[in-house]
Amino acid sequence: MLIELQSLQGGSKTVDIEIPAHEIDLGVEGVALSRPVVVNAGVRNASGITAVEGTIGAEDKVACTRCLETISVPLRFDFVSRFVGSESFGTSGEHEV
């Protein structure tokens, strides 16, 4: 998904994405997603800073280490990311962020 950040100048946008479980390879043997991964996020762009805050949710199927039965484990991750465009820094040297 692409978001045109110029269109958000001073505003925000809500993003809801659902990714089918079969499209994600966890790269771990014996672990599989049992439901789609759901991303709910808000994107804000103001004063050259883009902020993305939201939640990623999914459900994992794994074998119980005690009884070896397959169990479902709900997963939820909150995230906050901020990005500053290169135009905020000019062209000279290093800058502390």
Side-chain angles (χ1 to χ4, degrees):
M1 165 179 254
L2 296 175
I3 298 173
E4 182 60 47
L5 295 178
Q6 295 291 40
S7 68
L8 292 179
Q9 197 59 34
S12 64
K13 178 178 180 72
T14 300
V15 178
D16 297 309
I17 303 170
E18 188 170 294
I19 304 167
H22 70 274
E23 291 185 10
I24 298 177
D25 179 13
L26 298 176
V28 179
E29 191 173 325
V31 179
L33 294 173
S34 58
R35 294 186 187 219
V37 174
V38 177
V39 180
N40 304 105
V43 181
R44 286 189 327 271
N45 186 15
S47 303
I49 299 173
T50 301
V52 182
E53 299 181 35
T55 302
I56 301 172
E59 192 169 286
D60 214 1
K61 283 192 301 189
V62 296
C64 174
T65 57
R66 191 178 73 209
C67 67
L68 299 179
E69 290 287 322
T70 300
I71 59 172
S72 292
V73 179
L75 304 171
R76 179 187 160 113
F77 304 97
D78 295 325
F79 66 92
V80 176
S81 294
R82 288 185 176 39
F83 305 94
V84 179
S86 59
E87 63 278 356
S88 298
F89 292 108
T91 58
S92 62
E94 295 181 10
H95 299 275
E96 186 173 332
V97 179

